[in-house]
Amino acid sequence: KEEEELRQRFMAPPVSGLRELRRRRRELRSRMELLIMETQGEVCRALAALDPGASFVVDTWERKEGGGGISCVLQDGEVFEKAGVNVSVVSGLLSEEAARQMRSRGKSLKAKDGKLPFCAMGVSSVIHPKNPHVPTMHFNYRYFEIEEADGTKQWWFGGGTDLTPTYLNEEDAVHFHKTLKEACDKHDLKLYPKYKKWCDDYFYIKHRGERRGIGGIFFDDMDSPSKEEVFQFVKSCAKAVVPCYIPIVKRHCHDSFTPEEKLWQQLRRGRYVEFNLVYDRGTKFGLLTPGSRIESILMSLPLTARWEYMHAPPESSKEAEILEVLRNPKDWVH
């Protein structure tokens, strides 16, 4: 009965198998895998409820080097042009490229004969709606573990949730940020301002001088105060995904829009693609990991986007308004 109940909460059986997760249920790795599976199920069900004509394709895959994943993708719905929610649980040996990327962030990784066993798991999602008045949303929560030459394990969590509107709606921005702030405040009042700033700094398209969106929270390499406390914090953030975003979709998915507004959405999507392919750490790590699944890594890209030469919106327009916020991030909650 319990197994049936668990299966109803998930989109597919867990990568590590339900029996194995049960056997190791006290271990944090197992609890994290259950959390990312539950988060995938919750988000997919919430999105499918808003787009009843469409359905998720559930694609389970295996990685010959160790582990696998579950990709759930909805395409060409009435509400969502493309929505993907991925889970991956992979293990094996870190490639030299990936290890170099981590060392550049200050990680002192001591390899044994040039080998670094690792385990990485996470849930990540990008949702591109059809209507330009519904923002794109991205979230990702992940756990990483590396075993060094002397057998000691380094571990850390990372993640975040952020919003990318085509047009600025202050009410939506405040709702989104307040919901994330409440999730952070349960653990420590210093976390939201710190991770909000980190998010604004991280999703910065340097060559454009603008942020990808209006931010949210972002953190990485989080390994204190304790494994349990960080896990509980990540859990609160994951549970905030549906309440921070779904009410915004409901509010705007039937708004009318003009061809000009649709065009502006396509141009903003182009910026989204630029960030993901040039700067995004997760995309880079995925592309550097042997045996990684390219389709799942590039799931974050929209079905459609546009690049126009020297496009500039008119002064004092709605388009110029969002650009101003992308260039100068705002405090939405005070």
Side-chain angles (χ1 to χ4, degrees):
K1 186 174 178 248
E2 193 188 344
E3 290 214 0
E4 187 51 44
E5 201 179 298
L6 279 174
R7 286 209 176 90
Q8 283 174 358
R9 279 159 44 200
F10 301 154
M11 298 300 283
V15 175
S16 301
L18 214 42
R19 194 170 293 166
E20 182 61 16
L21 289 179
R22 272 258 204 22
R23 198 173 63 76
R24 298 182 297 140
R25 64 176 168 268
R26 293 188 196 288
E27 286 181 31
L28 193 122
R29 270 167 68 163
S30 299
R31 291 161 67 206
M32 183 65 180
E33 187 170 345
L34 286 169
L35 173 64
I36 61 180
M37 291 295 301
E38 279 174 18
T39 303
Q40 182 184 49
E42 275 168 26
V43 174
C44 287
R45 282 192 296 275
L47 297 174
L50 295 178
D51 208 342
S55 59
F56 277 93
V57 171
V58 179
D59 188 11
T60 57
W61 51 274
E62 281 182 26
R63 178 174 170 270
K64 69 176 191 307
E65 292 83 353
I70 301 146
S71 297
C72 298
V73 182
L74 180 158
Q75 285 187 151
D76 270 330
E78 288 295 310
V79 175
F80 303 108
E81 184 181 286
K82 187 178 178 191
V85 192
N86 282 351
V87 155
S88 66
V89 180
V90 298
S91 55
L93 298 172
L94 211 55
S95 73
E96 195 42 56
E97 274 290 323
R100 198 175 303 134
Q101 194 189 325
M102 285 177 182
R103 287 192 182 104
S104 73
R105 304 209 314 265
K107 298 242 167 258
S108 61
L109 303 173
K110 296 181 280 295
K112 187 178 185 178
D113 307 324
K115 293 185 171 66
L116 276 167
F118 82 99
C119 153
M121 62 180 71
V123 57
S124 79
S125 171
V126 177
I127 298 151
H128 293 291
K130 280 203 162 155
N131 193 312
H133 298 294
V134 182
T136 283
M137 197 267 286
H138 155 261
F139 75 88
N140 169 295
Y141 290 99
R142 58 194 180 276
Y143 172 70
F144 218 95
E145 206 174 83
I146 286 183
E147 192 173 326
E148 295 191 272
D150 59 3
T152 57
K153 283 185 179 170
Q154 279 205 47
W155 59 268
W156 62 90
F157 289 86
T161 304
D162 63 281
L163 198 68
T164 305
T166 301
Y167 287 96
L168 185 63
N169 179 301
E170 299 238 350
E171 196 186 334
D172 295 345
V174 170
H175 165 80
F176 185 80
H177 277 268
K178 270 196 164 155
T179 310
L180 293 178
K181 182 179 184 297
E182 282 163 19
C184 294
D185 285 356
K186 284 180 199 162
H187 301 270
D188 186 337
L189 297 179
K190 293 193 202 83
L191 295 178
Y192 169 77
K194 181 182 174 184
Y195 295 155
K196 191 260 184 206
K197 183 183 183 315
W198 197 338
C199 189
D200 288 334
D201 292 344
Y202 177 74
F203 290 106
Y204 182 57
I205 308 170
K206 289 191 192 75
H207 60 269
R208 298 282 188 185
E210 62 193 44
R211 273 88 197 149
R212 186 176 78 175
I214 60 160
I217 55 171
F218 179 85
F219 58 92
D220 209 350
D221 302 329
M222 194 174 179
D223 57 6
S224 67
S226 72
K227 215 180 219 184
E228 183 59 35
E229 284 168 283
V230 184
F231 173 70
Q232 291 302 333
F233 167 67
V234 167
K235 189 173 180 176
S236 295
C237 294
K239 296 288 176 203
V241 168
V242 168
C244 77
Y245 183 59
I246 295 299
I248 297 174
V249 182
K250 283 182 175 167
R251 202 178 294 151
H252 300 292
C253 62
H254 300 301
D255 289 4
S256 60
F257 58 89
T258 65
E260 291 75 24
E261 287 170 333
K262 188 68 186 170
L263 170 66
W264 178 243
Q265 181 194 43
Q266 297 291 291
L267 291 165
R268 296 313 309 163
R269 291 243 186 99
R271 299 283 207 268
Y272 205 92
V273 171
E274 286 176 30
F275 178 85
N276 281 27
L277 293 183
V278 178
Y279 299 113
D280 188 71
R281 201 184 283 165
T283 304
K284 282 183 178 176
F285 178 79
L287 296 173
L288 295 174
T289 303
S292 59
R293 193 163 184 272
I294 302 304
E295 284 297 318
S296 298
I297 295 163
L298 298 182
M299 170 211 79
S300 63
L301 303 183
L303 280 189
T304 61
R306 190 176 172 110
W307 286 266
E308 272 189 26
Y309 185 68
M310 299 294 280
H311 183 279
E315 275 183 49
S316 306
S317 63
K318 284 283 199 192
E319 290 77 13
E321 179 189 34
I322 185 81
L323 278 182
E324 174 56 30
V325 172
L326 300 178
R327 288 170 185 152
N328 302 291
K330 275 180 75 165
D331 178 352
W332 298 103
V333 294
H334 295 103

